[in-house]
Amino acid sequence: MAGKPVLYYFNGRGRMEAIRWLLAVAEVEFDEVLLTTREQYDKLLSDGALMFQQVPMVEIDGMQLIQTKAILHYIAQKYNLHGKDPKERVMINMYAEGAMDVMEMIMVLPFITDVKAKLDNIQTKAKERYLPVYEKALSGHIYLVGGELSLADVQLFECTLMLEEKFTGILAEFPNVKLCEKVFPGQDDADSRRQQVSAARQ
Ligand SMILES: N[C@@H](CCC(=O)N[C@@H](CS)C(=O)NCC(=O)O)C(=O)O
């Protein structure tokens, strides 16, 4: 039997967090190598493990996978979280990408100067552009696509956690989206994770 996947990333949520969540939802145990020194990173580079000299990198099934979305799609497909056919898959990817767009806006906050203006912009876009889409899609449904849990739900869930950290109560106007948090597996874990969040872990 293949060993556990090994996740290589910095000591932060960043681009790896969606992968961690997806594996957790798929009930796949994994190990992590948190890169804290330049030497660790250089070693991966000299070993040829990082195709584009970037992380996240995930060792799984005898491969060294890079590029967040490629990794997410591989895991989603492998664990039946990527729809039953191409039409479901493309819808899953569309919803997942929308959530990723919001998360990427939040992820870059530590690297910009006018944080207040950007936060206002993110909040407006979340409330007017993104959350209404998910609210409508989840009207009368527990899951976004095909009546089954998928990558789209996992990424929306992570996105709601990130939004609530920045904008307390933002989901009040979006009860269906809020409900998706409740039905999500591992909610206890989510609560404890939420409490652990610090500004250093963007
Ligand atoms: N498109 C890539 C982007 C990866 C990326 O930008 N990784 C950053 C860390 S979050 C990195 O390794 N930066 C180092 C570099 O580019 O030299 C993905 O989604 O995996």
Side-chain angles (χ1 to χ4, degrees):
M1 196 180 114
K4 291 182 198 172
V6 185
L7 281 45
Y8 293 80
Y9 197 64
F10 306 118
N11 186 10
R13 288 186 292 168
R15 293 178 193 274
M16 189 62 98
E17 191 71 352
I19 297 168
R20 296 184 183 110
W21 272 115
L22 192 61
L23 285 169
V25 168
E27 299 184 353
V28 177
E29 285 185 25
F30 56 87
D31 290 325
E32 294 211 63
V33 176
L34 299 177
L35 305 175
T36 54
T37 65
R38 180 75 215 180
E39 289 69 35
Q40 285 174 294
Y41 191 70
D42 287 345
K43 172 85 169 55
L44 287 174
L45 288 178
S46 63
D47 289 349
L50 308 180
M51 188 187 284
F52 298 120
Q53 302 171 25
Q54 292 177 321
V55 285
M57 191 272 278
V58 174
E59 284 177 349
I60 183 170
D61 297 337
M63 299 179 289
Q64 291 181 318
L65 302 184
I66 48 98
Q67 288 291 356
T68 314
K69 288 170 195 168
I71 299 167
L72 287 168
H73 290 179
Y74 179 78
I75 296 167
Q77 203 153 339
K78 178 167 174 164
Y79 294 102
N80 299 319
L81 294 163
H82 215 187
K84 292 185 284 295
D85 56 43
K87 286 190 175 175
E88 283 193 0
R89 198 158 306 132
V90 76
M91 290 307 298
I92 288 167
N93 290 342
M94 284 161 57
Y95 286 127
E97 285 305 300
M100 190 61 96
D101 285 350
V102 176
M103 292 193 279
E104 282 179 348
M105 286 192 282
I106 296 175
M107 268 184 232
V108 299
L109 282 172
F111 307 106
I112 63 170
T113 45
D114 193 352
V115 175
K116 169 81 178 74
K118 186 64 185 170
L119 273 173
D120 289 347
N121 176 265
I122 297 170
Q123 187 170 21
T124 302
K125 278 192 178 148
K127 286 170 102 165
E128 294 178 6
R129 183 185 297 188
Y130 292 96
L131 288 171
V133 171
Y134 297 108
E135 184 65 14
K136 188 171 170 199
L138 288 168
S139 171
H141 304 281
I142 294 177
Y143 301 120
L144 282 165
V145 180
E148 288 179 8
L149 185 67
S150 75
L151 172 65
D153 303 288
V154 181
Q155 288 199 215
L156 174 59
F157 178 65
E158 187 194 352
C159 180
T160 63
L161 295 182
M162 289 178 80
L163 283 171
E164 284 188 316
E165 283 162 15
K166 295 290 175 204
F167 315 108
T168 307
I170 189 170
L171 296 186
E173 295 163 48
F174 304 96
N176 296 329
V177 176
K178 182 77 190 154
L179 197 63
C180 96
E181 285 192 345
K182 291 263 183 295
V183 297
F184 212 87
Q187 177 62 21
D188 293 345
D189 197 32
D191 285 341
S192 64
R193 268 179 187 252
R194 203 183 272 135
Q195 285 161 14
Q196 287 164 11
V197 169
S198 73
R201 300 202 64 180
Q202 297 291 334

